[in-house]
Amino acid sequence: MNHSENTGRNSDQDIDQNIDQDTVLRARTMLLGSGRLGLPQEVEAYRVLAKVSPAAYLPKLVRALVSYGYEVGHRRGPERRLPLHAEAADAARRIGAGHPRRTGALRDALEAYEHALFELGRRAEGRAVCEEPAEAGRAAFERGEVAHPAYGSARLAVTLAEEGRPAELRAVQHRLTVRSALFRENRTHRIEEALRPLFDEEVALARRAAEGLPRALTDRAMFLVAAKRYGEARADFAEVVGPFDGADRTPIVTAT
């Protein structure tokens, strides 16, 4: 058996037996035509071909659904946009974990879906959706697909702040800070400039909420030791555990 025969047989095996071959051929012909397809036609074609070849067509389906959802929402209102962006999110979740386009497609689809839910007042669902890009970003960083461990988390922090959910916001800020510090552990150039604002923000959030301050101060103190800011680190530790060596406790002025 030659190579071309083997390739053809594998392609036949990849096709879902429930998909009519004529439907697949029609979808491919639509995409190969000389004319420019509208978004509804693109979505129709990619829906079919994503079942035949998910790795090749699921990212394209996600992109088309997100764009079509915005177009429909602009013309007919957010309630008509929601099912298309929900479908985009579902398609993005089905992209294989190792696919190079998965993280970007998932981020775009989930952000679009989240926005649609918030316009319709379904805020609890929107917050739940907002958590997915943060988790996807963490996993993508561990696989080496994105350059920073906080990828995808910023929107979640903004949403929690807007929603007035300080405890959850502090938890997210803590994760962002720790992951960023670990990421920079072996990259000492300008470490303080890059990370100090994150630790200061964590302390500021804890002060405003009157909760979680000892952990936030300890986190910052450990960072300050690494940055060779020993006097400031000592002050943070003193606020957590009390004065050292019987010295009077003094107020701390921080850049928060």
Side-chain angles (χ1 to χ4, degrees), residues 58-67 69-70 81 84-93 95 101-116 129 132-134 136-137 151-152 155:
L58 275 175
K60 296 178 180 180
L61 174 60
V62 171
R63 185 200 66 211
L65 284 166
V66 169
S67 297
Y70 281 122
R81 161 190 170 187
L84 291 165
H85 284 170
E87 183 182 352
D90 182 63
R93 294 183 187 110
I95 298 173
R101 295 174 63 187
R102 184 181 194 273
T103 301
L106 189 60
R107 179 201 59 212
D108 293 345
L110 290 173
E111 285 184 357
Y113 185 28
E114 173 208 342
H115 292 162
V129 170
E132 287 189 66
Y151 184 93
R155 177 58 190 163

Side-chain angles (χ1 to χ4, degrees), residues 197-239:
L198 291 172
F199 287 96
D200 288 345
E201 178 63 17
E202 185 179 356
V203 171
L205 286 170
R207 289 194 194 283
R208 288 198 293 269
E211 184 179 343
L213 184 59
R215 184 180 72 174
L217 287 166
T218 302
D219 288 344
R220 187 170 66 179
M222 296 300 293
F223 161 74
L224 290 168
V225 168
K228 297 182 172 54
R229 296 282 186 174
Y230 301 117
E232 293 175 82
R234 186 179 188 278
D236 276 359
F237 277 129
E239 186 170 357

Side-chain angles (χ1 to χ4, degrees), residues 49 56 59 65 117 127 131 166 170 187 237 253:
L49 296 176
L65 284 166
L117 288 166
R127 282 193 301 272
E131 292 174 4
R170 289 197 309 277
R187 299 166 174 81
F237 277 129
V253 178

Side-chain angles (χ1 to χ4, degrees), residues 6 19 36 116 124:
N6 184 60
I19 300 176
R36 179 177 175 83

Side-chain angles (χ1 to χ4, degrees), residues 124-206:
E125 293 173 81
R127 282 193 301 272
V129 170
C130 192
E131 292 174 4
E132 287 189 66
E135 179 59 27
R138 180 198 62 78
F141 174 75
E142 291 178 354
R143 293 193 299 268
E145 296 171 9
V146 297
H148 199 281
Y151 184 93
S153 298
R155 177 58 190 163
L156 176 58
V158 170
T159 299
L160 292 172
E162 292 173 344
E163 289 287 292
R165 303 170 74 89
E168 293 163 85
L169 176 58
R170 289 197 309 277
V172 169
Q173 181 68 30
H174 177 70
R175 290 198 299 271
L176 281 170
T177 302
V178 171
R179 289 173 187 171
S180 297
L182 290 172
F183 174 63
R184 296 272 181 173
E185 185 176 12
N186 296 319
R187 299 166 174 81
T188 56
H189 179 60
R190 303 180 72 179
I191 182 174
E192 185 174 4
E193 179 181 338
L195 295 180
R196 179 64 183 264
L198 291 172
F199 287 96
D200 288 345
E201 178 63 17
E202 185 179 356
V203 171
L205 286 170

